[in-house]
Amino acid sequence: MYKAVRARLCALVCRVRAARSDGGMVTSEYAMGIVAAVAFAVVLYKVVTSGAVSEELQDIVKRALDAPM
């Protein structure tokens, strides 16, 4: 019985190690992810600070604050 339990435990440990071996990103993938996130943030900032979008956002906030309760 001890051998069977040990064999099952060994198989479980091997499966866990195999699943964890490729679970994360390497440094270059982190760098590319950061570059993509920054690029997206810059585009979003430019869109939100543009004239038309800024006016619409201000209008939405004004209407929300002026709503009757």
Side-chain angles (χ1 to χ4, degrees), residues 2 6-8 17-18 23 28 31 34 40-42 44 47-48 62:
Y2 174 73
R6 184 174 175 164
R8 285 185 181 179
R17 285 183 182 164
S28 61
I34 290 171
F40 180 72
V42 168
L44 186 61
V47 168
V48 170
K62 284 179 185 176

Side-chain angles (χ1 to χ4, degrees), residues 32-69:
M32 293 304 294
I34 290 171
V35 168
V38 169
F40 180 72
V42 168
V43 169
L44 186 61
Y45 176 77
K46 289 291 186 180
V47 168
V48 170
T49 58
S50 69
V53 175
S54 180
E55 288 177 19
E56 288 295 323
L57 288 174
Q58 287 177 0
D59 186 46
I60 290 171
V61 171
K62 284 179 185 176
R63 281 188 284 145
L65 293 176
D66 291 338
M69 291 192 176

